[in-house]
């Protein structure tokens, strides 16, 4: 057994947890981004640091991978004896503006030697702000929200000094088999033989960004609740989804900026829709893709683009084709040598330069740290390397937040902020 040293390392207690296919998939994405998911929660007042640390320590029982390092040579999670002190860090701040606080949200995790979660508790005279960063190899957006709600529940109980007989246990399996077993052989075969539902992206769909490998930035804007309520009401009247509307605004802005007629953008889908009623999935990655693949004519209006996008999304939601890529990768992962798996994955599923992800709603009654009032919250995703770009969307208390993170210059910040504002303006002009 190797003799190693470092924070939280114990040779006697070392154990290994097999990495799943989707864990390694996110690691492959490391060439173009830091695969992390981030949550920002700002409180009115202060919370209990002690209760937070107790809750985090207990939460590791539900996701043992949080207490591991990832061994890239052996492709497995290696158990360490990290504690909440290694995961939660109190930082006193004073007079920090929003951009300065976002710099903490962009804090990196070295998944080869650190815990797979990092929580920064920023404290000023009147407010606490949580910056929660988790390794995307551990969980996708839906799983991350599941973890956040668990953490909130544990925090609330710790603050009430509830006694625990034991830590929570893992909630279920972490691999794709838990969903595939719900399909018949005929259904699986039909999925594998199905035609890919997207075209080849136009290589011209790239944004004029300069990039700065040492300077991570996060840009943010939002649609206020009053405006978003109008959008939600009109979406219902038009028989389209909120996501259809945001996606339409996004691809129209990409069309306006790049001049490309054909816009192809992947849209993540939570594959948990294939679980059986009452089936409990573990906190993990279970994500496939729909694809928005539309041509926009010169002078085309929002009202003309929206039904095309909505129709294509509806068609894909009624199909099982979103399982094809994940199924192929899952099969290859268990058949081929690991180097061949990586090459095959990048050939089957190359990383799109321009992408989109809607992380959904942060539920007000579940994102609840005791009785502490939350003023603001949103989820954001990976810090991309130029020319890669992603729009992330999440909603909390009726306010829809749009973010994008990348390694870029201050000029890039201004440019991306302008894009986000342009997307919001597209929506406001058409849903006033």
């Amino acid at each position: 057994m190797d003799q190693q040293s470092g924070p939280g390392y114990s040779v006697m207690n070392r154990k290994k947890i097999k990495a799943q296919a989707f864990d390694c998939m996110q690691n492959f994405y490391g060439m173009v981004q830091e695969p992390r998911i981030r949550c920002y929660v700002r409180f009115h007042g202060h919370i209990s640091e002690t209760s937070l640390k107790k809750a985090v320590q207990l939460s590791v029982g539900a996701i043992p991978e949080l207490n591991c390092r990832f061994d890239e040579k052996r492709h497995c999670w290696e158990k360490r004896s990290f504690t909440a002190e290694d995961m939660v860090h109190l930082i006193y701040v004073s007079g920090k503006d929003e951009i300065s606080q976002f710099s903490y949200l962009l804090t990196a995790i070295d998944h080869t030697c650190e815990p797979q979660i990092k929580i920064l508790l920023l404290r000023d005279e009147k407010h606490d702000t949580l910056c929660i960063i988790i390794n995307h190899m551990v969980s996708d957006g839906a799983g991350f929200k599941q973890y956040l709600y668990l953490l909130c529940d544990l925090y609330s109980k710790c603050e009430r000094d509830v006694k625990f007989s034991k830590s929570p246990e893992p909630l279920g399996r972490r691999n794709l088999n838990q969903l595939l077993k719900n399909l018949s052989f005929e259904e699986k075969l039909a999925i594998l033989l199905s035609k890919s539902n997207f075209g080849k992206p136009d290589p011209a769909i790239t944004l004029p960004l300069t990039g700065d490998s040492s300077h991570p930035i996060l840009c943010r804007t939002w649609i206020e609740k009053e405006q978003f309520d109008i959008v939600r009401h009109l979406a219902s009247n038009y028989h389209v989804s909120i996501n259809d509307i945001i996606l339409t605004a996004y691809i129209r802005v990409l069309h306006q900026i790049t001049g490309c007629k054909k816009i192809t953008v992947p849209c993540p889908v939570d594959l948990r829709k294939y679980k059986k009623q009452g089936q409990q999935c573990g906190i993990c990655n279970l994500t496939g893709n729909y694809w928005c693949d539309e041509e926009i004519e010169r002078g085309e209006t929002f009202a003309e683009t929206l039904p095309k996008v909505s129709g294509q999304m509806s068609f894909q939601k009624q199909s099982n084709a979103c399982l094809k890529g994940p199924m192929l990768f899952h099969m290859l992962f268990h058949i081929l040598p690991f180097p061949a798996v990586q090459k095959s994955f990048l050939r089957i599923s190359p990383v799109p330069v321009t992408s989109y992800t809607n992380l959904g709603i942060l539920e007000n009654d579940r994102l609840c740290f005791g009785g502490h009032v939350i003023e603001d919250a949103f989820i954001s995703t990976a810090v991309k390397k130029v020319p890669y770009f992603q729009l992330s969307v999440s909603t909390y208390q009726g306010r829809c937040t749009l973010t994008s993170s990348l390694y870029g210059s201050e000029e890039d910040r201004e440019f991306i902020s302008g894009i986000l504002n342009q997307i919001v303006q597209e929506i406001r002009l058409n849903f006033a």
Side-chain angles (χ1 to χ4, degrees):
M1 188 174 291
D2 299 340
Q3 295 295 322
Q4 301 186 41
S5 60
Y9 187 81
S10 171
V11 173
M12 292 298 294
N13 296 327
R14 190 174 79 169
K15 296 179 181 179
K16 292 183 176 64
I17 302 173
K18 183 180 179 181
Q20 300 300 325
F22 280 18
D23 301 350
C24 295
M25 176 188 73
Q26 289 298 332
N27 197 32
F28 296 160
Y29 284 152
M31 65 180 181
V32 301
Q33 65 186 34
E34 287 184 357
R36 310 287 178 256
I37 307 178
R38 307 157 196 279
C39 184
Y40 177 93
V41 183
R42 182 167 176 81
F43 298 93
H44 181 76
H46 296 151
I47 65 173
S48 167
E49 178 191 3
T50 300
S51 296
L52 178 63
K53 288 182 176 179
K54 286 181 180 178
V56 170
Q57 192 69 58
L58 287 165
S59 73
V60 171
I63 319 180
E65 290 78 11
L66 295 179
N67 203 28
C68 296
R69 63 175 288 272
F70 187 72
D71 188 327
E72 294 190 324
K73 292 183 178 179
R74 297 172 180 167
H75 326 300
C76 68
W77 300 101
E78 187 179 77
K79 187 72 179 290
R80 294 286 183 94
S81 54
F82 294 120
T83 68
E85 296 294 333
D86 301 308
M87 304 176 192
V88 181
H89 309 274
L90 176 63
I91 302 173
Y92 289 96
V93 296
S94 179
K96 296 286 187 181
D97 58 20
E98 189 177 73
I99 290 179
S100 298
Q101 291 206 348
F102 288 167
S103 66
Y104 291 102
L105 191 62
L106 298 171
T107 300
I109 292 176
D110 186 340
H111 60 271
T112 66
C113 62
E114 292 185 308
Q116 303 307 309
I117 190 168
K118 186 173 290 186
I119 300 179
L120 307 181
L121 175 56
L122 310 182
R123 175 162 292 171
D124 62 28
E125 293 81 2
K126 297 181 179 180
H127 301 275
D128 275 351
T129 301
L130 289 181
C131 294
I132 305 171
I133 306 109
I134 194 169
N135 186 356
H136 203 334
M137 294 168 63
V138 171
S139 173
D140 58 15
F144 183 42
K145 288 193 293 183
Q146 190 180 358
Y147 173 75
L148 288 174
Y149 301 149
L150 171 66
L151 182 64
C152 287
D153 180 64
L154 292 171
Y155 173 90
S156 300
K157 289 175 179 176
C158 288
E159 198 171 54
R160 298 197 310 269
D161 201 25
V162 173
K163 304 300 181 184
F164 293 88
S165 58
K166 61 178 181 179
S167 297
E169 296 182 352
L171 302 177
R173 296 181 179 275
R174 298 187 69 249
N175 62 31
L176 190 63
N177 272 337
Q178 62 185 312
L179 303 181
L180 297 181
K181 70 179 184 180
N182 299 332
L183 303 173
S184 68
F185 174 80
E186 291 76 14
E187 287 174 318
K188 295 175 188 175
L189 184 61
I191 292 169
L192 291 174
L193 296 177
S194 66
K195 183 180 178 181
S196 297
N197 57 3
F198 61 93
K200 186 176 180 181
D202 188 332
I205 306 179
T206 56
L207 301 176
L209 301 168
T210 57
D212 184 340
S213 60
S214 63
H215 189 216
I217 59 176
L218 184 148
C219 301
R220 178 204 187 189
T221 191
W222 56 84
I223 305 172
E224 288 291 1
K225 182 181 184 302
E226 294 76 12
Q227 176 70 47
F228 204 54
D229 284 343
I230 295 172
V231 175
R232 187 180 292 108
H233 176 72
L234 292 176
S236 178
N237 288 348
Y238 297 155
H239 304 291
V240 299
S241 71
I242 292 288
N243 194 64
D244 292 338
I245 292 170
I246 298 172
L247 184 55
T248 298
Y250 181 43
I251 68 170
R252 284 178 59 82
V253 170
L254 290 175
H255 165 71
Q256 293 160 16
I257 292 174
T258 65
C260 293
K261 180 179 179 180
K262 184 177 181 181
I263 306 293
T264 302
V265 175
C267 311
V269 54
D270 183 6
L271 299 179
R272 291 168 183 81
K273 72 175 191 169
Y274 291 102
K275 70 180 183 179
K276 289 185 177 180
Q277 186 174 4
Q279 183 180 358
Q280 183 72 53
C281 295
I283 294 177
C284 59
N285 285 286
L286 288 172
T287 306
N289 276 321
Y290 296 140
W291 288 81
C292 181
D293 185 30
E294 291 294 347
E295 290 190 2
I296 302 177
E297 303 295 336
R298 179 176 295 180
E300 183 174 300
T301 65
F302 193 103
E304 292 170 326
T305 309
L306 177 58
K308 294 194 299 183
V309 171
S310 180
Q312 189 178 85
M313 291 297 105
S314 295
F315 176 78
Q316 292 182 58
K317 289 174 185 177
Q318 295 167 15
S319 164
N320 292 333
C322 61
L323 273 170
K324 181 173 182 177
M327 279 183 66
L328 282 173
F329 178 63
H330 181 78
M331 291 168 58
L332 294 174
F333 184 81
H334 290 91
I335 295 172
L336 300 179
F338 192 82
V341 171
Q342 184 168 4
K343 290 180 181 178
S344 299
F345 170 75
L346 296 174
R347 186 166 57 249
I348 294 170
S349 183
V351 183
V353 175
T354 306
S355 57
Y356 166 84
T357 182
N358 190 334
L359 296 149
I361 299 171
L362 281 166
E363 299 175 38
N364 188 45
D365 59 340
R366 300 184 70 187
L367 189 71
C368 182
F369 289 81
H372 298 284
V373 176
I374 297 176
E375 296 183 342
D376 189 15
F378 65 86
I379 304 178
S380 190
T381 50
V383 183
K384 296 282 187 175
K385 300 176 183 177
V386 171
Y388 294 88
F389 173 80
Q390 183 174 65
L391 170 66
S392 300
V393 178
S394 66
T395 304
Y396 176 67
Q397 292 185 340
R399 181 162 76 168
C400 180
T401 296
L402 287 71
T403 63
S404 185
S405 304
L406 69 154
Y407 285 98
S409 64
E410 287 304 309
E411 289 76 16
D412 289 335
R413 185 196 299 276
E414 291 182 15
F415 181 75
I416 297 302
S417 294
I419 289 178
L420 299 185
N421 290 330
Q422 195 172 339
I423 293 168
V424 171
Q425 188 66 9
E426 276 277 320
I427 296 171
R428 286 174 177 160
L429 287 174
N430 291 279
F431 294 88

